[in-house]
Amino acid sequence: MRYLITIILSIIVSFLSYQFFAQQALVYTNSDTSLSAPTKRVVDLENFGLQDLENELIDTVNTVKDSVVSILVTKDFVMYDGRQASGLIKQQIWWGSGIVVSPEWYILTNKHVVDDPDASYTVMFADGETAQAAEAWLDPTLDIAVLKVEKSLLWDRTIAQAVPFGQQTQVWQFVLAIGNALAEFSNSVTFGVISGKNRKLTLDNENLYAWLLQTDTSISEWNSWGPLFDLDGNVVGINTAVSSLGENIGFAIPISQEFVTATLSAIQKYDALTRPFVWVRYIDLSIEVARELDIDAVEWVYVAEVVDGTPADMAGIRPDDIITHIDWLLVDMTNPFLYQLFTKSPGDTVEITVNSEWISKVAQLVLSNQ
């Protein structure tokens, strides 16, 4: 009987201790906001209905719509009078959408919208005001471009917000696409969910994207791609492609605070939208790939080749190494190696953790731009 009472008391004490420390851990977690996303609205889920969802959507659109812009693409064509040229006429040939991402007057858009060097680009804001794009930078590796307009025209404009890397969208999360439909219906809104993450897709028969968001939100050239938002008003992606084989199968390049910062930093450092280079050939690991390579690992990154004399070589990275972390953030299907690199800019120093013959080591690597 004495032992039974002792056991019961132990269980009660253990339960109360667990509740106490769990509460303390919750308080600590909630107090650490150094990398937290914008504060989420508190929703009473027990009494949440369709009218509440509608109100959420309306609030989100009203919050972000002024950060979305239309991009009108025009080009000069020769006009003929009878059999001779009589002058040039400017014609609109394309349209697109973009988003204001910096108070320094930078606008993020798709590369395929602004990749004609002979065209001119006019940015139209939600209130109808327009401005000529003064400069454009194209990403050599992604369907991403940045436009810049004059300072005075972006005064007091709404700046789009993005969440920190690692706190991005989840599968089945609601998202909104906002764009310029048919070159005249600005701030057209479509609504859907994230259907999948880290989708692989080859664009333009040359560029393989390996970490795209898939969404059933309606996107196409008719609503001009544009930004993808979560219900807290954060931009989470730039819509880039749609499948021609099925309905509502679209893809977006994921966007984070670090990605935007790295993009603008590269422009400011090099006057070019350049991405960091690590001078290694590598393979993203999976169960199938690891089995083929006879490697006892099911994720991370396998280093197949290192270029001699490069920063990677000098940092001590060798063929057959397994890269597990960048700056202590795990490399896996949720945080792919390449996208983690693209949250950095050339010239940054990163710490790369590798398993070399299953001995873990940390290498400091200066990222290059070529």
Side-chain angles (χ1 to χ4, degrees), residues 17-57:
S17 299
Y18 170 79
Q19 292 294 322
F20 173 78
F21 287 113
Q23 184 64 30
Q24 291 299 105
L26 180 61
V27 170
Y28 175 77
T29 301
N30 290 339
S31 67
D32 183 10
T33 59
S34 58
L35 285 177
S36 62
T39 303
K40 287 182 173 291
R41 294 187 290 271
V42 178
V43 177
D44 181 5
L45 294 178
E46 291 186 358
N47 301 305
F48 191 83
L50 290 179
Q51 185 66 53
D52 299 293
L53 175 59
E54 180 181 80
N55 292 335
E56 287 283 305
L57 298 176

Side-chain angles (χ1 to χ4, degrees), residues 106-158:
Y106 292 104
I107 293 168
L108 192 65
T109 185
N110 297 96
K111 179 169 63 178
H112 71 257
V113 172
V114 297
D115 62 356
D116 187 341
D118 297 323
S120 59
Y121 304 98
T122 302
V123 175
M124 183 172 67
F125 298 94
D127 60 5
E129 187 174 6
T130 62
Q132 279 298 117
E135 296 180 77
W137 297 269
L138 308 183
D139 191 323
T141 58
L142 297 173
D143 184 25
I144 290 289
V146 174
L147 297 179
K148 189 174 185 180
V149 299
E150 296 178 4
K151 172 180 178 180
S152 60
L153 296 172
L154 276 182
W155 193 255
D156 291 334
R157 296 289 178 185
T158 300

